[in-house]
Amino acid sequence: MPAGFSAADFYYILPELLLTGGALLVLMLSVLTPKQDGLLLVAALATVGATLAVVVSFAGLDVTASRGLLAIDGFAAFFKVVVLLSAALTLLMSSPYLKTEGIQAGEYYFLILCAALGMMFMSSGLDLITLFIGLETMAVSFYILAGFLKPNPRSNEAAVKYFLLGAFSLGVLLYGMSLLYGATGTTHLSGIAAALGGASPSLVVILGVVLVGAGMGFKIAAVPFHMWAPDVYEGAPTPVTAYLSVGSKAASFAMLIRIFIEGLPAVGAEWTMLFYALAVVTMTVGNIAALTQSNLKRMLAYSSIAHAGYLLMGVVVGTERGVAAMLVYLGVYVFMQLGAFAVITMMRRSDIIGEELKDLNGLSKRSPIVAFAMLFFMLSLGGIPPTAGFMGKVWLFGATIDAGFIWLAVIAVANSAVSLYYYLRVVVFMWINEEEGVGSPLTIGPAMSVALGVALFGTVVFGVYPQFLFEHAEAAARSLDGIASITLR
Amino acid sequence: MLEITPAHYTILSAALFSIGVIGVLVRRNIIIVFMAIELMLNAVNINLVAYAQQLQNLIGQVFVVFVIAVAAAEAAVGLGILLAFYRNKETVNIDEMNVMRW
């Protein structure tokens, strides 16, 4: 390893540097030009766009930078695109929401960008310390964002709950990391993999793996570590909820895959069992709890818990195909989940909170375009063709069956059948309960229509033309180190 | 005289971590829960330093510096959030966090 940093190291973290610079610029602009929220939005979007362009131009690379601490590979690029896309859509859907709630946009946009920065480090970190710093950059930004509506008791409560359980899970995760460090003498993932290879794992290693698994389980909201998710999703500002359920989940999955597939293949048999059990419990509990919800945000919170269960199947499979299927599912999930939340964000108007299912009554009459968009998002979340969600599920379930986990796939299919009930209930409220339609049509501003359009575009196009996503997901999965060392079990 | 070995430190750390976890689970005052979480993080620090000594490499010590810095950042944000909560509810009791229930 070279002794210091070279120019190449700075070149490879150019996307992160751009994002940091842009975030600081937004913060300064908000002080220098008060009441110019439109300008701030443009600056924030330009930052994300520039970062995205550099990330895409780095997509073909497969190198390590900063003395082996960061991987600049296809896997990192895939997740960075997912994260930046969700940040951009969140920014777009936030701008009308912030006006309605009377929130100062400067700090808010800054925190959205900071969270994206943390997520980018989570997807490219190759060292436990780097990954943990990325995780905390994201988490601390989200603690503040969840409580951004200071006079609102629900937002306060969401922030306190998220903070307490997030800090608790951090303690658990770090304790696991310290045990892994003690057992292997390094925090670098490839060093850990090399130190653990061969010999049967000691008790300390197993304990470390379980604790790290539990800590990550909190972050992806897997049952039984999901208690914070419904409350935080319900109480946080709606665009923040959207960002939390997509960006934070995707980045946590990236970190999970980095740690377990690149760092701990030697104990693969043990953690496969762990994640198998987590996947089954998570999707089942998530779907069953979602059935009885009357609050839309809370229902989508349980639905996103169920989706974490589906995504865990890809980790259980653990092969190149399994990870690729998981990436496809995540790529699809970004559009359908953010789209659904964009519609809920729109339903918040100056005098209407608009988070209950009954607020959807007669939406097909009042705002047919929005209702049609929501229909597509719901069908996609439920996995009905010809939407993108169907393609994601086909691939994920297919990879699971091919790897020999027949029962896991059967449980997942049964779960998606159950989930149709509550997704279609949303459609029923929009179309059938027309007589007591409340209030006026929804107003769609320019920013919101772009967000909705992009989400709808992704949901529809990846449903009929998924090859593009498949190819990139496969390339991303292939670029992971150690992915080949996990064979079919 | 009993010699203090790294193993003793890891036992101390495990005990401290357990006390922290139990504190989070049973105490009802948010500030005390927060202190219990800090206890967990410091158990991690003891573990890391002990292992760094045992393994004779500095990675553990570097890790500790990062954990301390992050814990400080979290404390600042956490207490700010708590203050906002207190201004609305006039309490820091976990049982009073009941606006949202399923």
mmCIF file of all heavy atoms in Angstrom, chain A residues 133 136 140 143 150-151 154 156-157 159-160 163-164 168 175 178 181-182 185 187 231 235 298, chain B residues 13-14 34 37 44 47 51-52 55 57 59-60 66 70 74 77-78 81 88 97-100 102:
data_model
loop_
_atom_site.group_PDB
_atom_site.id
_atom_site.type_symbol
_atom_site.label_atom_id
_atom_site.label_comp_id
_atom_site.label_asym_id
_atom_site.label_seq_id
_atom_site.Cartn_x
_atom_site.Cartn_y
_atom_site.Cartn_z
ATOM 1 N N ILE A 133 -18.898 4.896 9.314
ATOM 2 C CA ILE A 133 -18.971 6.357 9.205
ATOM 3 C C ILE A 133 -20.040 6.750 8.182
ATOM 4 O O ILE A 133 -20.828 7.674 8.383
ATOM 5 C CB ILE A 133 -17.601 6.944 8.816
ATOM 6 C CG1 ILE A 133 -16.592 6.741 9.952
ATOM 7 C CG2 ILE A 133 -17.712 8.425 8.495
ATOM 8 C CD1 ILE A 133 -16.933 7.469 11.208
ATOM 9 N N GLU A 136 -23.444 6.337 9.721
ATOM 10 C CA GLU A 136 -23.799 7.376 10.688
ATOM 11 C C GLU A 136 -24.061 8.715 10.015
ATOM 12 O O GLU A 136 -24.923 9.478 10.458
ATOM 13 C CB GLU A 136 -22.699 7.511 11.737
ATOM 14 C CG GLU A 136 -22.855 6.521 12.861
ATOM 15 C CD GLU A 136 -24.267 6.490 13.405
ATOM 16 O OE1 GLU A 136 -24.670 7.445 14.061
ATOM 17 O OE2 GLU A 136 -24.972 5.497 13.160
ATOM 18 N N VAL A 140 -27.590 10.157 11.141
ATOM 19 C CA VAL A 140 -27.736 11.409 11.880
ATOM 20 C C VAL A 140 -28.549 12.411 11.054
ATOM 21 O O VAL A 140 -29.406 13.125 11.587
ATOM 22 C CB VAL A 140 -26.351 11.974 12.272
ATOM 23 C CG1 VAL A 140 -26.484 13.371 12.831
ATOM 24 C CG2 VAL A 140 -25.692 11.081 13.298
ATOM 25 N N TYR A 143 -32.121 11.388 11.482
ATOM 26 C CA TYR A 143 -32.716 11.717 12.787
ATOM 27 C C TYR A 143 -33.284 13.132 12.738
ATOM 28 O O TYR A 143 -34.394 13.394 13.206
ATOM 29 C CB TYR A 143 -31.675 11.652 13.911
ATOM 30 C CG TYR A 143 -31.025 10.304 14.122
ATOM 31 C CD1 TYR A 143 -29.751 10.207 14.660
ATOM 32 C CD2 TYR A 143 -31.684 9.126 13.800
ATOM 33 C CE1 TYR A 143 -29.143 8.989 14.858
ATOM 34 C CE2 TYR A 143 -31.076 7.900 13.988
ATOM 35 C CZ TYR A 143 -29.806 7.832 14.515
ATOM 36 O OH TYR A 143 -29.200 6.631 14.701
ATOM 37 N N LYS A 150 -41.002 20.740 13.686
ATOM 38 C CA LYS A 150 -40.775 20.894 15.125
ATOM 39 C C LYS A 150 -42.049 21.075 15.938
ATOM 40 O O LYS A 150 -42.150 20.553 17.030
ATOM 41 C CB LYS A 150 -39.788 22.040 15.381
ATOM 42 C CG LYS A 150 -38.363 21.541 15.378
ATOM 43 C CD LYS A 150 -37.405 22.591 15.895
ATOM 44 C CE LYS A 150 -37.247 23.715 14.917
ATOM 45 N NZ LYS A 150 -36.301 24.736 15.343
ATOM 46 N N PRO A 151 -43.062 21.845 15.448
ATOM 47 C CA PRO A 151 -44.254 22.005 16.287
ATOM 48 C C PRO A 151 -45.168 20.778 16.274
ATOM 49 O O PRO A 151 -46.140 20.745 17.009
ATOM 50 C CB PRO A 151 -44.984 23.197 15.653
ATOM 51 C CG PRO A 151 -44.117 23.688 14.556
ATOM 52 C CD PRO A 151 -43.162 22.617 14.217
ATOM 53 N N ARG A 154 -46.250 14.464 16.380
ATOM 54 C CA ARG A 154 -45.991 13.178 15.723
ATOM 55 C C ARG A 154 -44.581 13.137 15.148
ATOM 56 O O ARG A 154 -43.889 12.131 15.210
ATOM 57 C CB ARG A 154 -47.012 12.937 14.602
ATOM 58 C CG ARG A 154 -48.395 12.657 15.136
ATOM 59 C CD ARG A 154 -49.226 11.919 14.123
ATOM 60 N NE ARG A 154 -49.317 12.642 12.854
ATOM 61 C CZ ARG A 154 -49.735 12.095 11.726
ATOM 62 N NH1 ARG A 154 -50.079 10.826 11.701
ATOM 63 N NH2 ARG A 154 -49.798 12.804 10.627
ATOM 64 N N ASN A 156 -42.015 14.943 16.247
ATOM 65 C CA ASN A 156 -41.098 14.859 17.393
ATOM 66 C C ASN A 156 -40.930 13.424 17.840
ATOM 67 O O ASN A 156 -39.826 12.932 18.067
ATOM 68 C CB ASN A 156 -41.662 15.614 18.606
ATOM 69 C CG ASN A 156 -41.753 17.094 18.383
ATOM 70 O OD1 ASN A 156 -42.570 17.745 18.997
ATOM 71 N ND2 ASN A 156 -40.925 17.613 17.503
ATOM 72 N N GLU A 157 -42.089 12.772 17.971
ATOM 73 C CA GLU A 157 -42.074 11.412 18.487
ATOM 74 C C GLU A 157 -41.337 10.485 17.527
ATOM 75 O O GLU A 157 -40.552 9.630 17.955
ATOM 76 C CB GLU A 157 -43.509 10.943 18.677
ATOM 77 C CG GLU A 157 -43.631 9.776 19.610
ATOM 78 C CD GLU A 157 -45.078 9.400 19.830
ATOM 79 O OE1 GLU A 157 -45.879 10.263 20.236
ATOM 80 O OE2 GLU A 157 -45.406 8.233 19.592
ATOM 81 N N ALA A 159 -38.942 11.292 15.543
ATOM 82 C CA ALA A 159 -37.505 11.546 15.625
ATOM 83 C C ALA A 159 -36.907 10.916 16.872
ATOM 84 O O ALA A 159 -35.846 10.294 16.820
ATOM 85 C CB ALA A 159 -37.248 13.051 15.618
ATOM 86 N N VAL A 160 -37.608 11.059 18.019
ATOM 87 C CA VAL A 160 -37.062 10.484 19.260
ATOM 88 C C VAL A 160 -36.973 8.972 19.147
ATOM 89 O O VAL A 160 -35.957 8.363 19.498
ATOM 90 C CB VAL A 160 -37.938 10.891 20.472
ATOM 91 C CG1 VAL A 160 -37.469 10.161 21.718
ATOM 92 C CG2 VAL A 160 -37.880 12.377 20.692
ATOM 93 N N PHE A 163 -34.227 8.032 16.729
ATOM 94 C CA PHE A 163 -32.918 8.281 17.307
ATOM 95 C C PHE A 163 -32.557 7.215 18.343
ATOM 96 O O PHE A 163 -31.468 6.636 18.305
ATOM 97 C CB PHE A 163 -32.882 9.672 17.946
ATOM 98 C CG PHE A 163 -31.704 9.870 18.825
ATOM 99 C CD1 PHE A 163 -30.439 9.956 18.268
ATOM 100 C CD2 PHE A 163 -31.831 9.912 20.203
ATOM 101 C CE1 PHE A 163 -29.331 10.100 19.073
ATOM 102 C CE2 PHE A 163 -30.722 10.052 21.003
ATOM 103 C CZ PHE A 163 -29.476 10.150 20.443
ATOM 104 N N LEU A 164 -33.479 6.935 19.270
ATOM 105 C CA LEU A 164 -33.152 5.984 20.341
ATOM 106 C C LEU A 164 -32.870 4.601 19.770
ATOM 107 O O LEU A 164 -31.868 3.957 20.107
ATOM 108 C CB LEU A 164 -34.294 5.908 21.352
ATOM 109 C CG LEU A 164 -34.434 7.099 22.292
ATOM 110 C CD1 LEU A 164 -35.590 6.881 23.234
ATOM 111 C CD2 LEU A 164 -33.146 7.315 23.080
ATOM 112 N N PHE A 168 -29.287 2.678 19.552
ATOM 113 C CA PHE A 168 -29.198 1.348 20.159
ATOM 114 C C PHE A 168 -28.663 0.331 19.152
ATOM 115 O O PHE A 168 -27.756 -0.451 19.447
ATOM 116 C CB PHE A 168 -30.589 0.934 20.661
ATOM 117 C CG PHE A 168 -30.646 -0.434 21.275
ATOM 118 C CD1 PHE A 168 -30.073 -0.671 22.511
ATOM 119 C CD2 PHE A 168 -31.287 -1.478 20.625
ATOM 120 C CE1 PHE A 168 -30.116 -1.932 23.077
ATOM 121 C CE2 PHE A 168 -31.336 -2.738 21.182
ATOM 122 C CZ PHE A 168 -30.751 -2.966 22.417
ATOM 123 N N TYR A 175 -20.579 -3.336 18.532
ATOM 124 C CA TYR A 175 -20.070 -4.407 19.392
ATOM 125 C C TYR A 175 -19.738 -5.629 18.541
ATOM 126 O O TYR A 175 -18.694 -6.260 18.723
ATOM 127 C CB TYR A 175 -21.093 -4.748 20.473
ATOM 128 C CG TYR A 175 -20.479 -5.502 21.624
ATOM 129 C CD1 TYR A 175 -19.738 -4.823 22.580
ATOM 130 C CD2 TYR A 175 -20.614 -6.870 21.751
ATOM 131 C CE1 TYR A 175 -19.145 -5.493 23.629
ATOM 132 C CE2 TYR A 175 -20.023 -7.554 22.796
ATOM 133 C CZ TYR A 175 -19.295 -6.858 23.739
ATOM 134 O OH TYR A 175 -18.700 -7.532 24.756
ATOM 135 N N SER A 178 -16.555 -4.919 16.773
ATOM 136 C CA SER A 178 -15.370 -5.015 17.636
ATOM 137 C C SER A 178 -14.997 -6.478 17.848
ATOM 138 O O SER A 178 -13.813 -6.813 17.904
ATOM 139 C CB SER A 178 -15.619 -4.294 18.965
ATOM 140 O OG SER A 178 -16.425 -5.076 19.811
ATOM 141 N N TYR A 181 -13.253 -7.634 14.750
ATOM 142 C CA TYR A 181 -11.896 -7.094 14.738
ATOM 143 C C TYR A 181 -11.004 -7.912 15.680
ATOM 144 O O TYR A 181 -9.873 -8.280 15.336
ATOM 145 C CB TYR A 181 -11.907 -5.622 15.146
ATOM 146 C CG TYR A 181 -10.556 -5.088 15.530
ATOM 147 C CD1 TYR A 181 -9.539 -5.005 14.586
ATOM 148 C CD2 TYR A 181 -10.285 -4.704 16.839
ATOM 149 C CE1 TYR A 181 -8.289 -4.532 14.942
ATOM 150 C CE2 TYR A 181 -9.043 -4.233 17.196
ATOM 151 C CZ TYR A 181 -8.044 -4.159 16.245
ATOM 152 O OH TYR A 181 -6.808 -3.706 16.601
ATOM 153 N N GLY A 182 -11.532 -8.222 16.859
ATOM 154 C CA GLY A 182 -10.744 -8.996 17.815
ATOM 155 C C GLY A 182 -10.401 -10.371 17.290
ATOM 156 O O GLY A 182 -9.306 -10.905 17.526
ATOM 157 N N GLY A 185 -8.196 -9.361 13.685
ATOM 158 C CA GLY A 185 -7.085 -8.421 13.728
ATOM 159 C C GLY A 185 -7.124 -7.357 12.650
ATOM 160 O O GLY A 185 -6.160 -6.631 12.460
ATOM 161 N N THR A 187 -9.983 -4.594 10.218
ATOM 162 C CA THR A 187 -11.355 -4.172 9.942
ATOM 163 C C THR A 187 -11.616 -4.139 8.437
ATOM 164 O O THR A 187 -12.695 -3.751 8.021
ATOM 165 C CB THR A 187 -11.633 -2.769 10.519
ATOM 166 O OG1 THR A 187 -10.618 -1.888 10.043
ATOM 167 C CG2 THR A 187 -11.633 -2.794 12.023
ATOM 168 N N ASP A 231 -43.821 3.675 13.234
ATOM 169 C CA ASP A 231 -43.977 4.960 13.909
ATOM 170 C C ASP A 231 -43.188 6.060 13.214
ATOM 171 O O ASP A 231 -43.678 7.173 13.033
ATOM 172 C CB ASP A 231 -43.523 4.844 15.366
ATOM 173 C CG ASP A 231 -44.508 4.057 16.202
ATOM 174 O OD1 ASP A 231 -45.615 3.800 15.699
ATOM 175 O OD2 ASP A 231 -44.171 3.689 17.333
ATOM 176 N N GLY A 235 -44.794 9.321 11.354
ATOM 177 C CA GLY A 235 -44.623 10.643 11.938
ATOM 178 C C GLY A 235 -43.742 11.576 11.133
ATOM 179 O O GLY A 235 -43.924 12.782 11.170
ATOM 180 N N ARG A 298 -48.572 4.439 7.224
ATOM 181 C CA ARG A 298 -48.282 3.307 8.083
ATOM 182 C C ARG A 298 -48.413 1.999 7.297
ATOM 183 O O ARG A 298 -47.630 1.073 7.462
ATOM 184 C CB ARG A 298 -49.273 3.315 9.246
ATOM 185 C CG ARG A 298 -48.704 2.737 10.492
ATOM 186 C CD ARG A 298 -49.660 2.956 11.653
ATOM 187 N NE ARG A 298 -49.155 2.239 12.792
ATOM 188 C CZ ARG A 298 -48.194 2.685 13.583
ATOM 189 N NH1 ARG A 298 -47.633 3.840 13.343
ATOM 190 N NH2 ARG A 298 -47.776 1.969 14.596
ATOM 191 N N SER B 13 -16.014 -5.418 29.285
ATOM 192 C CA SER B 13 -16.755 -4.818 28.179
ATOM 193 C C SER B 13 -18.099 -5.509 27.990
ATOM 194 O O SER B 13 -19.130 -4.841 27.817
ATOM 195 C CB SER B 13 -15.907 -4.905 26.913
ATOM 196 O OG SER B 13 -16.713 -4.791 25.779
ATOM 197 N N ALA B 14 -18.090 -6.854 28.039
ATOM 198 C CA ALA B 14 -19.344 -7.598 27.869
ATOM 199 C C ALA B 14 -20.323 -7.238 28.978
ATOM 200 O O ALA B 14 -21.526 -7.045 28.727
ATOM 201 C CB ALA B 14 -19.069 -9.093 27.857
ATOM 202 N N PHE B 34 -30.752 7.084 26.996
ATOM 203 C CA PHE B 34 -29.671 7.603 26.178
ATOM 204 C C PHE B 34 -28.312 7.348 26.838
ATOM 205 O O PHE B 34 -27.333 6.953 26.193
ATOM 206 C CB PHE B 34 -29.909 9.103 25.955
ATOM 207 C CG PHE B 34 -28.944 9.733 25.037
ATOM 208 C CD1 PHE B 34 -28.569 9.108 23.861
ATOM 209 C CD2 PHE B 34 -28.389 10.957 25.324
ATOM 210 C CE1 PHE B 34 -27.664 9.688 23.009
ATOM 211 C CE2 PHE B 34 -27.481 11.546 24.476
ATOM 212 C CZ PHE B 34 -27.118 10.906 23.318
ATOM 213 N N ILE B 37 -27.329 3.871 26.297
ATOM 214 C CA ILE B 37 -26.782 3.654 24.955
ATOM 215 C C ILE B 37 -25.317 4.076 24.913
ATOM 216 O O ILE B 37 -24.467 3.398 24.325
ATOM 217 C CB ILE B 37 -27.625 4.413 23.909
ATOM 218 C CG1 ILE B 37 -28.998 3.766 23.781
ATOM 219 C CG2 ILE B 37 -26.933 4.420 22.560
ATOM 220 C CD1 ILE B 37 -29.974 4.540 22.945
ATOM 221 N N VAL B 44 -18.047 -0.933 23.651
ATOM 222 C CA VAL B 44 -17.387 -1.184 22.365
ATOM 223 C C VAL B 44 -15.969 -0.626 22.382
ATOM 224 O O VAL B 44 -15.017 -1.293 21.969
ATOM 225 C CB VAL B 44 -18.193 -0.542 21.211
ATOM 226 C CG1 VAL B 44 -17.428 -0.612 19.908
ATOM 227 C CG2 VAL B 44 -19.546 -1.203 21.074
ATOM 228 N N ASN B 47 -13.599 -2.746 24.398
ATOM 229 C CA ASN B 47 -13.311 -3.944 23.610
ATOM 230 C C ASN B 47 -12.244 -3.653 22.555
ATOM 231 O O ASN B 47 -11.270 -4.390 22.426
ATOM 232 C CB ASN B 47 -14.600 -4.370 22.906
ATOM 233 C CG ASN B 47 -14.875 -5.840 23.081
ATOM 234 O OD1 ASN B 47 -14.072 -6.535 23.679
ATOM 235 N ND2 ASN B 47 -15.986 -6.296 22.582
ATOM 236 N N TYR B 51 -8.497 -5.233 22.423
ATOM 237 C CA TYR B 51 -8.061 -6.061 21.287
ATOM 238 C C TYR B 51 -6.853 -5.435 20.606
ATOM 239 O O TYR B 51 -5.947 -6.144 20.170
ATOM 240 C CB TYR B 51 -9.192 -6.238 20.281
ATOM 241 C CG TYR B 51 -10.215 -7.271 20.676
ATOM 242 C CD1 TYR B 51 -11.573 -7.006 20.581
ATOM 243 C CD2 TYR B 51 -9.833 -8.523 21.145
ATOM 244 C CE1 TYR B 51 -12.522 -7.946 20.931
ATOM 245 C CE2 TYR B 51 -10.777 -9.470 21.509
ATOM 246 C CZ TYR B 51 -12.120 -9.177 21.403
ATOM 247 O OH TYR B 51 -13.047 -10.099 21.746
ATOM 248 N N ALA B 52 -6.846 -4.095 20.494
ATOM 249 C CA ALA B 52 -5.712 -3.436 19.853
ATOM 250 C C ALA B 52 -4.435 -3.747 20.625
ATOM 251 O O ALA B 52 -3.371 -4.001 20.044
ATOM 252 C CB ALA B 52 -5.947 -1.930 19.778
ATOM 253 N N LEU B 55 -3.618 -7.537 20.047
ATOM 254 C CA LEU B 55 -3.167 -7.860 18.691
ATOM 255 C C LEU B 55 -1.952 -7.041 18.285
ATOM 256 O O LEU B 55 -1.352 -7.284 17.249
ATOM 257 C CB LEU B 55 -4.292 -7.596 17.686
ATOM 258 C CG LEU B 55 -5.554 -8.422 17.849
ATOM 259 C CD1 LEU B 55 -6.724 -7.764 17.132
ATOM 260 C CD2 LEU B 55 -5.325 -9.820 17.300
ATOM 261 N N ASN B 57 -1.864 -4.063 17.121
ATOM 262 C CA ASN B 57 -2.003 -3.165 15.975
ATOM 263 C C ASN B 57 -2.927 -2.006 16.329
ATOM 264 O O ASN B 57 -3.678 -2.060 17.305
ATOM 265 C CB ASN B 57 -2.437 -3.915 14.706
ATOM 266 C CG ASN B 57 -3.891 -4.301 14.694
ATOM 267 O OD1 ASN B 57 -4.738 -3.626 15.255
ATOM 268 N ND2 ASN B 57 -4.191 -5.421 14.052
ATOM 269 N N ILE B 59 -5.332 -0.468 14.586
ATOM 270 C CA ILE B 59 -6.631 -0.269 13.940
ATOM 271 C C ILE B 59 -7.731 -0.052 14.985
ATOM 272 O O ILE B 59 -8.582 0.822 14.837
ATOM 273 C CB ILE B 59 -6.966 -1.476 13.046
ATOM 274 C CG1 ILE B 59 -5.877 -1.657 11.991
ATOM 275 C CG2 ILE B 59 -8.306 -1.283 12.376
ATOM 276 C CD1 ILE B 59 -6.010 -2.947 11.216
ATOM 277 N N GLY B 60 -7.688 -0.849 16.038
ATOM 278 C CA GLY B 60 -8.697 -0.725 17.081
ATOM 279 C C GLY B 60 -8.716 0.656 17.694
ATOM 280 O O GLY B 60 -9.783 1.220 17.962
ATOM 281 N N PHE B 66 -12.973 7.202 16.060
ATOM 282 C CA PHE B 66 -14.166 7.436 15.237
ATOM 283 C C PHE B 66 -15.446 7.218 16.043
ATOM 284 O O PHE B 66 -16.405 7.975 15.918
ATOM 285 C CB PHE B 66 -14.149 6.517 14.014
ATOM 286 C CG PHE B 66 -13.292 7.039 12.902
ATOM 287 C CD1 PHE B 66 -12.055 6.480 12.646
ATOM 288 C CD2 PHE B 66 -13.713 8.095 12.129
ATOM 289 C CE1 PHE B 66 -11.257 6.966 11.628
ATOM 290 C CE2 PHE B 66 -12.930 8.588 11.110
ATOM 291 C CZ PHE B 66 -11.692 8.019 10.863
ATOM 292 N N VAL B 70 -18.329 10.030 16.595
ATOM 293 C CA VAL B 70 -19.710 9.810 16.154
ATOM 294 C C VAL B 70 -20.664 9.862 17.340
ATOM 295 O O VAL B 70 -21.758 10.429 17.244
ATOM 296 C CB VAL B 70 -19.815 8.470 15.400
ATOM 297 C CG1 VAL B 70 -21.253 8.050 15.280
ATOM 298 C CG2 VAL B 70 -19.193 8.589 14.031
ATOM 299 N N GLU B 74 -23.855 12.244 17.652
ATOM 300 C CA GLU B 74 -25.185 11.701 17.944
ATOM 301 C C GLU B 74 -25.775 12.331 19.184
ATOM 302 O O GLU B 74 -26.970 12.609 19.229
ATOM 303 C CB GLU B 74 -25.080 10.188 18.147
ATOM 304 C CG GLU B 74 -25.144 9.421 16.865
ATOM 305 C CD GLU B 74 -25.733 8.056 17.088
ATOM 306 O OE1 GLU B 74 -25.589 7.536 18.203
ATOM 307 O OE2 GLU B 74 -26.314 7.521 16.148
ATOM 308 N N VAL B 77 -27.158 15.817 18.321
ATOM 309 C CA VAL B 77 -28.412 15.739 17.570
ATOM 310 C C VAL B 77 -29.527 15.173 18.443
ATOM 311 O O VAL B 77 -30.650 15.689 18.477
ATOM 312 C CB VAL B 77 -28.211 14.871 16.306
ATOM 313 C CG1 VAL B 77 -29.544 14.531 15.685
ATOM 314 C CG2 VAL B 77 -27.344 15.598 15.314
ATOM 315 N N GLY B 78 -29.193 14.130 19.195
ATOM 316 C CA GLY B 78 -30.200 13.461 20.019
ATOM 317 C C GLY B 78 -30.780 14.392 21.068
ATOM 318 O O GLY B 78 -31.990 14.435 21.276
ATOM 319 N N ILE B 81 -33.128 16.840 19.442
ATOM 320 C CA ILE B 81 -34.422 16.213 19.152
ATOM 321 C C ILE B 81 -35.254 16.091 20.423
ATOM 322 O O ILE B 81 -36.452 16.378 20.446
ATOM 323 C CB ILE B 81 -34.202 14.826 18.500
ATOM 324 C CG1 ILE B 81 -33.645 14.988 17.095
ATOM 325 C CG2 ILE B 81 -35.487 14.035 18.473
ATOM 326 C CD1 ILE B 81 -33.172 13.697 16.484
ATOM 327 N N ASN B 88 -42.939 20.237 23.295
ATOM 328 C CA ASN B 88 -44.333 19.952 22.953
ATOM 329 C C ASN B 88 -45.044 19.145 24.029
ATOM 330 O O ASN B 88 -46.225 19.317 24.253
ATOM 331 C CB ASN B 88 -44.407 19.175 21.637
ATOM 332 C CG ASN B 88 -44.303 20.101 20.448
ATOM 333 O OD1 ASN B 88 -44.676 21.258 20.538
ATOM 334 N ND2 ASN B 88 -43.780 19.613 19.351
ATOM 335 N N MET B 97 -44.723 8.611 25.008
ATOM 336 C CA MET B 97 -44.591 8.646 23.536
ATOM 337 C C MET B 97 -45.674 7.770 22.944
ATOM 338 O O MET B 97 -45.434 6.633 22.580
ATOM 339 C CB MET B 97 -43.220 8.106 23.107
ATOM 340 C CG MET B 97 -42.080 9.036 23.389
ATOM 341 S SD MET B 97 -40.714 8.733 22.284
ATOM 342 C CE MET B 97 -40.274 7.084 22.691
ATOM 343 N N ASN B 98 -46.883 8.276 22.906
ATOM 344 C CA ASN B 98 -47.994 7.400 22.525
ATOM 345 C C ASN B 98 -48.932 8.043 21.525
ATOM 346 O O ASN B 98 -50.086 7.675 21.429
ATOM 347 C CB ASN B 98 -48.768 6.965 23.770
ATOM 348 C CG ASN B 98 -49.162 8.161 24.614
ATOM 349 O OD1 ASN B 98 -49.038 9.302 24.157
ATOM 350 N ND2 ASN B 98 -49.638 7.922 25.804
ATOM 351 N N VAL B 99 -48.444 9.027 20.769
ATOM 352 C CA VAL B 99 -49.304 9.614 19.740
ATOM 353 C C VAL B 99 -49.627 8.566 18.681
ATOM 354 O O VAL B 99 -50.722 8.482 18.176
ATOM 355 C CB VAL B 99 -48.631 10.840 19.092
ATOM 356 C CG1 VAL B 99 -49.554 11.466 18.063
ATOM 357 C CG2 VAL B 99 -48.256 11.845 20.147
ATOM 358 N N MET B 100 -48.600 7.745 18.367
ATOM 359 C CA MET B 100 -48.793 6.732 17.329
ATOM 360 C C MET B 100 -48.747 5.338 17.956
ATOM 361 O O MET B 100 -47.809 4.990 18.644
ATOM 362 C CB MET B 100 -47.705 6.862 16.265
ATOM 363 C CG MET B 100 -47.837 8.129 15.477
ATOM 364 S SD MET B 100 -46.445 8.439 14.423
ATOM 365 C CE MET B 100 -45.156 8.750 15.592
ATOM 366 N N TRP B 102 -50.119 1.083 17.142
ATOM 367 C CA TRP B 102 -50.808 0.243 16.165
ATOM 368 C C TRP B 102 -51.745 -0.732 16.828
ATOM 369 O O TRP B 102 -51.718 -0.975 17.984
ATOM 370 C CB TRP B 102 -49.827 -0.519 15.276
ATOM 371 C CG TRP B 102 -48.867 -1.404 15.975
ATOM 372 C CD1 TRP B 102 -47.790 -1.026 16.721
ATOM 373 C CD2 TRP B 102 -48.874 -2.824 16.014
ATOM 374 N NE1 TRP B 102 -47.134 -2.092 17.210
ATOM 375 C CE2 TRP B 102 -47.753 -3.209 16.803
ATOM 376 C CE3 TRP B 102 -49.722 -3.794 15.466
ATOM 377 C CZ2 TRP B 102 -47.480 -4.559 17.060
ATOM 378 C CZ3 TRP B 102 -49.426 -5.105 15.718
ATOM 379 C CH2 TRP B 102 -48.313 -5.494 16.510
#
